Amino acid sequence: MRICVYGASSPTIDQEFIRKTEIMGREMAQRGHCLVFGGGAHGLMGAAARGVRENGGHIIGVIPKFFKKEMVEVVSEICDEIYTPDTMRERKQIMEDFADAFVMVPGGIGTYEEFFEILTLKQLCRHQKPIAIYNINGYYNELLYAIEQAMVKNFVRETCSELYFTTDNLDDLFRYIETPIQQSR
């Protein structure tokens, strides 16, 4: 299975997030999964790639050309395949097309944007791929609360919560994404 991981690229985040994401990457490779990610060498993107590499897994990086040209992000050198589209939109499309499942680890605005786009597409029945939030150290608790409040206030359908799975437990995360189409609209 090809698992797309969305996450932080910052090299200055707490080491506990990096450690847990590397463990997740090692587990991905041990289970025979391939990593699809944003191609960055730092932060949680780099941590996931390093973990996958440590257990001999396959890594597909997708990073826009301007990231390297404008020094936006250091490109990971451990990718087995690297794709360099022109735009962020093309990047997201390539990642979506390659992926069989999506995992969001802690991240910033770009990570939120990727998650909400893939969630919206699932809500609109454009795909039925599993989406999981790896809620390391409760990082996404406030975001999840905001989504719940949007449901309570009828801005978001209550069924939206059935479109993704949230956990801080790796066994539960992999059990969810490895289970064939268990979610419904």
Side-chain angles (χ1 to χ4, degrees):
M1 173 181 286
R2 291 179 176 180
I3 300 173
C4 179
V5 175
Y6 300 132
S9 62
S10 172
T12 61
I13 57 177
D14 186 294
Q15 289 299 304
E16 183 66 6
F17 293 105
I18 291 171
R19 185 183 72 78
K20 288 186 175 182
T21 303
E22 284 179 350
I23 291 169
M24 182 194 72
R26 286 195 295 272
E27 184 70 18
M28 281 177 60
Q30 186 172 337
R31 291 170 173 260
H33 301 307
C34 169
L35 171 66
V36 176
F37 80 122
H42 298 292
L44 301 189
M45 282 199 292
R50 286 189 305 275
V52 168
R53 176 59 62 224
E54 285 176 23
N55 273 354
H58 191 80
I59 302 169
I60 300 171
V62 185
I63 192 160
K65 292 174 188 168
F66 76 88
F67 272 43
K68 187 174 183 178
K69 183 178 179 184
E70 297 175 20
M71 307 290 267
V72 173
E73 172 68 37
V74 176
V75 179
S76 176
E77 295 182 2
I78 62 174
C79 296
D80 296 294
E81 299 175 53
I82 191 88
Y83 294 85
T84 54
D86 291 321
T87 68
M88 293 295 283
R89 285 192 175 114
E90 292 170 336
R91 175 198 208 186
K92 290 185 298 180
Q93 187 65 58
I94 292 168
M95 291 167 67
E96 177 189 341
D97 290 345
F98 281 160
D100 300 307
F102 303 90
V103 174
M104 179 173 70
V105 298
I109 298 299
T111 302
Y112 294 163
E113 191 268 337
E114 290 165 328
F115 167 73
F116 280 115
E117 180 172 338
I118 209 67
L119 179 62
T120 300
L121 291 171
K122 187 169 184 178
Q123 184 177 26
L124 295 172
C125 299
R126 302 299 93 188
H127 73 86
Q128 286 299 314
K129 301 171 184 179
I131 302 170
I133 299 171
Y134 186 26
N135 194 21
I136 298 171
N137 296 347
Y139 179 82
Y140 283 117
N141 289 351
E142 289 81 7
L143 177 67
L144 296 167
Y145 178 76
I147 294 170
E148 288 173 18
Q149 288 303 300
M151 286 184 227
V152 167
K153 295 173 183 170
N154 296 314
F155 286 95
V156 175
R157 293 184 190 147
E158 286 185 31
T159 55
C160 179
S161 63
E162 298 170 13
L163 300 176
Y164 61 92
F165 177 72
T166 304
T167 187
D168 62 357
N169 180 286
L170 275 182
D171 289 332
D172 291 343
L173 184 140
F174 284 107
R175 189 173 12 264
Y176 174 78
I177 61 177
E178 292 169 346
T179 301
I181 312 272
Q182 69 278 21
Q183 326 73 304
S184 63
R185 203 173 155 215

